[in-house]
């Protein structure tokens, strides 16, 4: 795997020299954990990590030099650096950000679509740059609201519902028009050479923020729209996936899915999507689904203080905490995890903070990279168990047979790991460390036999063991 030392050095903490071989046993270390990996038991497929350029955030890097703009895109999306593979676009509905600046008075039309000004508020530019470093980018186009003309309130802000679902009393049924509106966004990007992988009609339908684009829906109303939308999407783009429904939290999403399932509506979407604001995941969604994968598609602290560190203050937006959040999602069968913004100026809502002509990368990105650089999209999670609760572990088998084993040590002391592997054909480990002094830094490599080895994991760190046959 390529190592971009210049990018990593400019992004955050300095890289220190490699430590002693991981196979060495520290006789003074009394803390041990046994880890068992078994490829015979499998779970979800990895979809990847991501971020968004919505609401103008994609323009945040415009103040940087052309070289630095490319470096930021590379840092985020190159599979050998930040390794993000999901980009979530806003399908805008406000003036200046919508593909339908002059909506017709009735669903009969006419409909004149065009890419919004400034390259879709820089989202088109961000997608093009991301594709340069990740040609397999998974673009998720998602709407916060339908155009106001299509809604019960007549406004794209302040909640309201799409006209035509139960509980509305509109002059016209705008459901097919809204479906076509969303499909047209995909077509406009296709004309620019960009493929959309996932299309969504909702963002936080359980929450009315009043001050920005929003549209409400319960599970029954979601059925009323998705039962129209899904067949239209599949007719236009058979391979395009449809999402449901980006609720504010895992509990809220479960409530919506339960209502949707009572009408037989689970068949009208391909990917289960939720956010991590109001509630985090406590159990898999599998009992409410029909085999669809689940991805967490948005979360940020939203605080006004930028937090670039790994584990200094202990606040919930340090990189170490995010490594644990992702771990708990993955063991609950979540297949992907996205931050809110890719880049922004100030606050904790982004992975990259832009300040005029300079920028800084948050250690949260290195938590992402500790997973997604090694467990690539399509990797299958396999059985992984540990004898010590404060040592957290998942394991992922890639399609080429390599295995990624991210280990998080929550303790304030070093653990020696006794690793036992079953059902995988590997004999070499390359070890990457992330802590206050390392940003997914390669610290060692060694060979082993008979599917077992011993290694250490430093306190308050994430260590990824990349295993292959050599």
């Amino acid at each position: 795997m390529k190592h971009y030392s210049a990018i990593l050095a400019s992004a955050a903490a300095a890289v220190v020299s490699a430590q002693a071989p991981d196979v060495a046993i520290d006789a003074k270390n009394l803390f041990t954990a046994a880890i068992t990996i078994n490829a015979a038991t499998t779970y979800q497929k990895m979809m990847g990590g991501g971020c968004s350029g919505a609401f103008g955030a994609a323009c945040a890097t415009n103040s940087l030099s052309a070289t630095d703009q490319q470096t930021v895109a590379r840092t985020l999306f190159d599979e050998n650096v930040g390794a993000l593979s999901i980009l979530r676009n806003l399908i805008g509905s406000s003036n200046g950000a919508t593909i339908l600046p002059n909506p017709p008075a009735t669903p009969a039309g006419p409909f004149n679509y065009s890419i919004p000004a400034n390259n879709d508020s820089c989202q088109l530019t961000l997608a093009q740059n991301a594709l340069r470093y990740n040609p397999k980018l998974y673009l998720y186009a998602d709407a916060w609201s339908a155009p106001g003309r299509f809604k019960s309130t007549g406004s794209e802000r302040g909640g309201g519902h799409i006209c035509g679902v139960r509980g509305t009393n509109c002059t016209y049924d705008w459901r097919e028009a809204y479906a076509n509106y969303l499909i047209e966004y995909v077509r406009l990007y296709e004309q620019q050479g960009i493929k959309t992988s996932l299309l969504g009609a909702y963002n936080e339908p359980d929450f009315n923020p009043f001050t920005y684009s929003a549209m409400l829906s319960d599970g029954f109303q979601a059925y009323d729209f998705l039962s129209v939308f899904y067949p239209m999407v599949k007719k236009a783009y058979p391979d395009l996936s449809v999402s449901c429904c980006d609720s504010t939290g895992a509990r809220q999403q479960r409530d919506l899915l339960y209502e949707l399932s009572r009408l037989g509506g689970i068949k009208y979407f391909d990917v289960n999507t939720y956010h991590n604001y109001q509630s985090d995941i406590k159990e898999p969604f599998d009992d409410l689904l029909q085999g669809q994968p689940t991805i967490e598609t948005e979360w940020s602290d939203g605080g006004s203080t930028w937090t670039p560190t790994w584990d200094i203050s202990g606040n919930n937006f340090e990189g170490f905490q995010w490594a644990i959040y992702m771990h708990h999602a993955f063991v609950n069968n979540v297949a992907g995890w996205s931050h809110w913004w890719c880049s922004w100026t100030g606050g904790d809502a982004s992975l990259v903070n832009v300040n005029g002509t300079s920028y800084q990368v948050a250690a949260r990105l290195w938590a992402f990279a500790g997973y997604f650089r090694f467990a690539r999209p399509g990797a299958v999670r396999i059985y992984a168990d540990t004898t010590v609760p404060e040592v957290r572990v998942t394991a992922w088998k890639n399609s080429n047979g390599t295995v990624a084993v991210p280990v998080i040590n929550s303790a304030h002391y070093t653990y020696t790991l006794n690793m036992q592997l079953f059902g995988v054909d590997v004999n070499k480990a390359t070890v990457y460390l992330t802590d206050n002094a390392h940003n997914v830094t390669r610290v060692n490599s060694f060979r082993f036999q008979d599917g077992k080895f011993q290694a250490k994991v430093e306190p308050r760190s994430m260590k990824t063991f990349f295993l292959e046959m050599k």
Side-chain angles (χ1 to χ4, degrees), residues 49-122:
C51 58
S52 177
F55 293 106
C59 299
T61 59
N62 287 358
S63 62
L64 301 177
S65 68
T67 298
D68 281 349
Q69 289 180 43
Q70 290 302 314
T71 300
V72 168
R74 185 183 189 184
T75 302
L76 289 167
F77 293 101
D78 192 304
E79 70 175 50
N80 299 293
V81 193
L84 302 184
S85 56
I86 300 173
L87 178 62
R88 182 168 174 245
N89 270 21
L90 161 68
I91 303 176
S93 51
S94 61
N95 291 334
T98 176
I99 63 172
L100 186 63
N102 297 300
T106 75
F111 296 88
N112 297 310
Y113 298 105
S114 61
I115 290 180
N118 198 17
N119 262 5
D120 195 15
S121 300
C122 302

Side-chain angles (χ1 to χ4, degrees), residues 172-185:
Y172 300 104
D173 184 341
W174 286 90
R175 287 178 295 169
E176 285 192 9
Y178 183 39
N180 280 322
Y181 173 85
L182 299 173
I183 293 168
E184 190 62 30
Y185 186 90

Side-chain angles (χ1 to χ4, degrees), residues 406-429:
V407 180
I408 302 168
N409 180 10
S410 298
H412 291 81
Y413 38 80
T414 298
Y415 263 96
T416 294
L417 309 177
N418 294 308
M419 192 88 69
Q420 178 73 64
L421 309 164
F422 298 97
V424 293
D425 190 19
V426 291
N427 66 0
K428 180 185 177 182

Side-chain angles (χ1 to χ4, degrees), residues 112-404:
N112 297 310
Y113 298 105
S114 61
I115 290 180
N118 198 17
N119 262 5
D120 195 15
S121 300
C122 302
Q123 290 185 121
L124 177 58
T125 303
L126 176 58
Q128 291 167 333
N129 288 335
L131 279 164
R132 181 174 301 173
Y133 302 106
N134 188 340
K136 297 180 179 180
L137 183 73
Y138 188 93
L139 182 65
Y140 177 22
D142 192 21
W144 268 239
S145 174
R149 184 67 55 81
F150 297 7
K151 294 171 59 181
S152 59
T153 57
S155 172
E156 60 96 27
R157 294 188 177 196
H161 303 82
I162 183 69
C163 286
V165 303
R166 66 195 68 196
T168 59
N169 185 25
C170 306
T171 303
Y172 300 104
D173 184 341
W174 286 90
R175 287 178 295 169
E176 285 192 9
Y178 183 39
N180 280 322
Y181 173 85
L182 299 173
I183 293 168
E184 190 62 30
Y185 186 90
V186 174
R187 188 170 289 113
L188 289 171
Y189 265 67
E190 181 182 49
Q191 292 170 359
Q192 299 298 316
I194 297 176
K195 175 187 175 182
T196 300
S197 299
L198 182 62
L199 182 61
Y202 296 107
N203 172 78
E204 300 178 355
D206 55 306
F207 175 64
N208 185 354
F210 296 103
T211 58
Y212 58 83
S213 307
M215 186 171 70
L216 301 175
S217 179
D218 60 26
F220 297 117
Q221 293 163 328
Y223 173 87
D224 292 342
F225 177 69
L226 291 174
S227 61
V228 172
F229 179 49
Y230 190 81
M232 292 177 64
V233 170
K234 295 304 178 180
K235 182 178 180 180
Y237 292 98
D239 296 329
L240 176 60
S241 294
V242 172
S243 71
C244 175
C245 284
D246 287 81
S247 299
T248 57
R251 174 173 53 80
Q252 290 76 9
Q253 179 72 2
R254 288 188 66 87
D255 291 343
L256 187 149
L257 290 176
Y258 182 73
E259 292 180 346
L260 185 60
S261 69
R262 291 178 69 91
L263 298 176
I266 301 300
K267 63 184 177 182
Y268 290 127
F269 66 91
D270 304 300
V271 180
N272 177 45
T273 52
Y274 78 100
H275 298 173
N276 206 58
Y277 293 107
Q278 303 279 34
S279 56
D280 59 0
I281 190 165
K282 303 295 185 185
E283 59 183 321
F285 285 97
D286 300 9
D287 61 312
L288 294 173
L289 301 173
Q290 296 175 357
Q292 294 97 327
T294 294
I295 54 177
E296 183 278 323
T297 52
E298 181 187 324
W299 188 41
S300 75
D301 177 69
S304 59
T305 303
W306 166 247
T307 303
T309 51
W310 174 258
D311 184 47
I312 299 296
S313 67
N315 79 41
N316 70 334
F317 245 60
E318 290 192 300
F320 179 71
Q321 300 299 327
W322 267 62
I324 295 174
Y325 297 142
M326 284 186 275
H327 168 85
H328 285 301
F330 294 146
V331 298
N332 279 294
N333 292 346
V334 173
W337 184 275
S338 286
H339 201 278
W340 179 205
W341 282 326
C342 304
S343 57
W344 191 245
T345 299
D348 270 336
S350 67
L351 291 167
V352 177
N353 184 48
V354 178
N355 185 10
T357 58
S358 64
Y359 69 92
Q360 186 179 26
V361 178
R364 294 187 294 279
L365 181 62
W366 309 128
F368 277 80
Y371 286 106
F372 304 122
R373 196 190 294 181
F374 310 100
R376 300 299 300 156
V380 177
R381 186 167 72 89
I382 59 178
Y383 178 86
D385 191 30
T386 172
T387 56
V388 180
E390 62 186 354
V391 175
R392 297 171 168 88
V393 59
T394 57
W396 305 81
K397 185 176 180 180
N398 290 297
S399 58
N400 63 1
T402 59
V403 177

